[in-house]
């Protein structure tokens, strides 16, 4: 009989996620946020006490060009990257979900891109909430999830489960006095107010302004993505002296 301890389910899942191309992995305890989760996505989500959060980083050289976001070539390249990162996340999410299900637990995989309320730019479940509770980053003044290593240059997907996985803990916000995302936004969609879980997102972000701007860009350029708030954040910015 082997004396080596069997790896925990979290260790096994993290190894698998990273081998499949994920850059970040964490587990969130959802029990403290279940009312919020059910208000956003529905009562059927209450049975999931854990969220596995996986992140795949974007390519720096592509994000670094977003200051030229009026150039269709720049925005098409960014859109293609965004889509391929989302596909990879969905693929990794599916395989992790199947692995957890094989162990006898319930799973519900939330795809990387899942806007179900286009007015509020919201999905069934907030990937940022899972990543934040898992300790992968903090929610910045841009309402994006800011990771210590890659800033907001990461996309996320989530697997909800009732498996009793060991969860991480949230980390402190490190925006401090920075307001670069507030200043760069062409429609001033951010108020500059720091994240507070007890306040609605509207206190910090006017989703309508962002959505209208993106719609106009879509009519003009064929693609609506803007991405200036991702580009400008000093956290994870490889080239600190960008224009
Ligand atoms: S994507 Fe562009 S318009 Fe929307 S909030 Fe970010 S900077 Fe503003
Ligand atoms: S640009 Fe500055 S204020 Fe905005 S999210 Fe990044 S660190 Fe926070």
């Amino acid at each position: 009989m082997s004396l080596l301890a069997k790896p925990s389910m979290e260790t096994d899942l993290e190894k698998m996620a990273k081998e499949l191309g994920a850059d970040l992995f964490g587990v969130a305890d959802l029990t403290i946020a279940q009312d919020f989760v059910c208000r956003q996505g529905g009562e059927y989500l209450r049975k999931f006490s854990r969220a596995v959060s996986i992140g795949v980083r974007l390519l720096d050289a592509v994000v670094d060009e977003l200051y030229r976001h009026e150039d269709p070539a720049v925005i098409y390249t960014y859109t293609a990257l965004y889509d391929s990162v989302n596909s990879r996340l969905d693929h990794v999410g599916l395989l992790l979900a199947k692995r957890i299900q094989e162990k006898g637990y319930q799973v519900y995989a939330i795809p990387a891109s899942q806007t179900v309320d286009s007015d509020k730019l919201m999905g069934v479940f907030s990937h940022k909430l899972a990543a934040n509770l898992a300790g992968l980053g903090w929610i910045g003044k841009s309402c994006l999830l800011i990771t210590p290593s890659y800033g907001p240059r990461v996309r996320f997907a989530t697997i909800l489960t009732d498996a009793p996985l060991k969860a991480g803990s949230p980390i402190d916000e490190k925006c401090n006095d920075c307001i670069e995302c507030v200043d760069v936004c062409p429609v001033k969609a951010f108020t500059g107010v720091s994240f507070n879980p007890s306040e609605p997102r509207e206190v910090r972000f006017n989703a309508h302004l962002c959505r209208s701007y993106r719609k106009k860009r879509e009519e003009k350029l064929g693609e609506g993505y803007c991405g200036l708030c991702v580009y400008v954040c000093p956290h994870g910015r490889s080239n600190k002296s960008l224009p």
Side-chain angles (χ1 to χ4, degrees):
M1 194 174 78
S2 169
L3 294 176
L4 289 176
K6 244 178 101 184
S8 66
M9 203 191 324
E10 305 86 51
T11 307
D12 176 47
L13 292 171
E14 178 166 8
K15 184 167 173 287
M16 183 178 170
K18 296 212 166 148
E19 281 171 0
L20 289 166
D23 297 296
L24 297 174
F25 175 95
V27 177
D29 177 357
L30 289 184
T31 53
I32 50 171
Q34 265 170 336
D35 288 342
F36 174 84
V37 168
C38 294
R39 265 201 309 278
Q40 180 170 336
E43 204 50 41
Y44 70 103
L45 297 179
R46 195 173 289 278
K47 62 185 172 217
F48 300 112
S49 59
R50 293 287 184 274
V52 175
S53 176
I54 46 173
V56 172
R57 67 185 289 207
L58 299 165
L59 297 177
D60 277 331
V62 176
V63 180
D64 286 350
E65 290 304 312
L66 283 174
Y67 72 96
R68 298 192 293 118
H69 79 315
E70 293 300 337
D71 181 337
V74 168
I75 217 65
Y76 278 114
T77 307
Y78 179 63
T79 306
L81 171 65
Y82 191 91
D83 290 345
S84 79
V85 167
N86 284 348
S87 305
R88 170 55 52 169
L89 279 164
D90 292 345
H91 177 71
V92 180
L94 172 65
L95 296 183
L96 290 187
K98 287 178 71 170
R99 174 70 64 95
I100 300 169
Q101 184 171 260
E102 278 158 15
K103 296 201 181 282
Y105 299 103
Q106 295 194 75
V107 281
Y108 197 84
I110 310 281
S113 186
Q114 37 113 25
T115 305
V116 293
D117 183 333
S118 57
D119 266 352
K120 292 184 179 167
L121 296 175
M122 277 176 133
V124 169
F125 177 87
S126 166
H127 295 307
K128 288 179 277 188
L129 173 74
N132 176 236
L133 293 177
L136 297 180
W138 68 93
I139 295 178
K141 289 174 193 160
S142 58
C143 296
L144 298 169
L145 196 283
I146 313 296
T147 65
S149 302
Y150 313 129
R153 297 168 176 227
V154 188
R155 300 277 309 149
F156 287 95
T158 311
I159 302 116
L160 305 179
T161 182
D162 59 359
L165 298 169
K166 188 162 181 267
S169 17
I171 59 173
D172 291 338
E173 192 220 84
K174 294 182 182 65
C175 285
N176 301 322
D177 295 335
C178 176
I179 51 163
E180 291 202 39
C181 54
V182 180
D183 287 343
V184 83
C185 177
V187 289
K188 301 294 166 221
F190 304 121
T191 62
V193 173
S194 295
F195 175 71
N196 177 341
S198 63
E199 289 175 343
R201 191 181 64 166
E202 290 69 36
V203 171
R204 302 177 294 280
F205 176 53
N206 186 331
H208 173 73
L209 291 176
C210 176
R211 186 177 56 82
S212 306
Y213 180 67
R214 283 158 60 161
K215 201 154 173 247
K216 273 193 210 130
R217 285 174 56 77
E218 201 171 339
E219 284 157 14
K220 188 172 149 201
L221 301 169
E223 285 292 352
Y225 288 102
C226 160
L228 283 175
C229 44
V230 177
Y231 153 80
V232 81
C233 184
H235 291 277
R237 200 159 77 190
S238 50
N239 181 353
K240 302 289 179 196
S241 57
L242 286 175

